[in-house]
Amino acid sequence: MHVTAPSTHRDRLLAAFPELHEHGTPALLLHPHLASPGPQDSSVGGPFLWPADEPWPTCPHGHYVFGAPPEDGDVFYDEPLFLQGVVQLFARDLPPGHTLPGGAELLQVLWCPNDHPRPPDADGHELTPWFTLRWRHDLTGLAPVSDQPRPHTSVKSYGLPPCALAIEEITDYPSEALLPEALAERVDEWESTAPESGHVDPGTVYVDELAHRRGMKFGGHQPWGLTDPFPVECECGAIMQLLLQIDSMEPGGLEGFVISRGYSLGIHCCPDFPDHPHHTVMQ
């Protein structure tokens, strides 16, 4: 069983290597927990506000379906399959100093909760949901949907019960592989020899407590592990930034929510033009 290191270990590591602060990035852990959010609330899996004249989006892509007819090659087109609301995040609910990209007032993230052989937004992975994003710069004209559409088929582990958010401000740090090599080596040495200096064994504090924090996260750093780190490039050539991390097995009511074998999906957006097509990375 994994045991998280106490925060005192994190503090000791930062005190021992103050240069780590140069690599920290402000981020927000959303901490979704079972509740009954309304359409005017920031939420995970909750009801959305929506323009009356905008059709609810559907998925045009094929889904992997075990046992599908042979002529479909295990890929089934099931239109129209309505998308599921994943995250609704109002700028007004963010802590001071945090904003939505492009000055948006509202970010809405929806997905098709089925496995797609090669999702068109995926960077190098397959068999995951496909996302679409809505950036709302004006809340005028948005209203509750009396009967919000729901997908009629979905992977069971992608179920999202309604959750409210308990937003926590953090400083997130990059993967060890993205630190300067000399600094990463010194951190590793500190973690392996700290017990000899009289400290309680801190374990792998950097990886477990500082780097690419787990959980549903707004901003911060992409975790790496399935692959080596690689730049996520926009169609315009800009290096994309992590917008939102959708993690598996979130405590507080989403313990049964699992992506693939327990991974996370990072949604990356263009830092200059958030409405450029996003990319997703599974790690």
Side-chain angles (χ1 to χ4, degrees):
M1 183 178 69
H2 173 73
V3 178
T4 302
S7 60
T8 52
H9 295 153
R10 183 193 320 166
D11 297 338
R12 287 172 179 163
L13 180 59
L14 290 172
F17 301 99
E19 59 269 44
L20 282 174
H21 290 289
E22 301 173 14
H23 303 279
T25 300
L28 301 173
L29 289 175
L30 301 185
H31 292 304
H33 54 280
L34 296 178
S36 300
Q40 294 86 4
D41 299 323
S42 293
S43 65
V44 165
F48 279 15
L49 294 178
W50 201 259
D53 59 352
E54 181 178 321
W56 194 266
T58 60
C59 180
H61 308 296
H63 312 140
Y64 175 84
V65 179
F66 180 76
E71 60 271 20
D72 289 341
D74 285 342
V75 177
F76 181 55
Y77 289 85
D78 191 17
E79 298 185 70
L81 196 151
F82 292 113
L83 301 190
Q84 177 185 17
V86 178
V87 175
Q88 176 168 261
L89 190 60
F90 289 91
R92 64 175 181 245
D93 292 332
L94 303 181
H98 294 266
T99 59
L100 294 177
E105 292 294 325
L106 172 63
L107 168 63
Q108 294 175 317
V109 179
L110 305 94
W111 71 6
C112 175
N114 292 279
D115 285 327
H116 301 72
R118 290 191 179 275
D121 56 358
D123 261 13
H125 65 266
E126 56 186 18
L127 298 181
T128 59
W130 167 74
F131 289 87
T132 188
L133 276 58
R134 294 290 188 271
W135 299 98
R136 311 293 187 186
H137 294 271
D138 185 357
L139 303 184
T140 304
L142 299 183
V145 181
S146 57
D147 187 15
Q148 183 168 307
R150 304 285 181 183
H152 55 268
T153 61
S154 66
V155 172
K156 182 178 180 181
S157 64
Y158 297 153
L160 283 170
C163 294
L165 308 182
I167 298 175
E168 176 191 2
E169 295 184 82
I170 63 167
T171 300
D172 203 27
Y173 293 82
S175 167
E176 277 190 306
L178 297 176
L179 290 177
E181 184 176 358
L183 176 58
E185 290 177 353
R186 290 167 55 217
V187 168
D188 283 342
E189 182 179 4
W190 183 90
E191 291 183 329
S192 63
T193 61
E196 299 176 8
S197 64
H199 293 258
V200 175
D201 183 359
T204 52
V205 180
Y206 186 79
V207 171
D208 292 343
E209 284 287 284
L210 290 177
H212 44 72
R213 296 280 294 276
R214 285 187 55 84
M216 290 198 182
K217 183 174 65 180
F218 177 73
H221 291 279
Q222 168 73 45
W224 300 98
L226 287 179
T227 69
D228 291 334
F230 60 83
V232 183
E233 297 185 7
C234 180
E235 61 179 13
C236 68
I239 301 301
M240 291 181 151
Q241 298 175 347
L242 180 65
L243 171 72
L244 193 67
Q245 177 174 292
I246 310 292
D247 214 346
S248 295
M249 297 175 284
E250 179 91 8
L254 298 181
E255 290 85 353
F257 173 73
V258 180
I259 295 170
S260 187
R261 297 179 181 179
Y263 302 128
S264 67
L265 280 170
I267 303 176
H268 293 251
C269 287
C270 179
D272 302 319
F273 303 97
D275 56 347
H276 281 184
H278 67 275
H279 289 201
T280 61
V281 175
M282 183 174 73
Q283 291 287 316

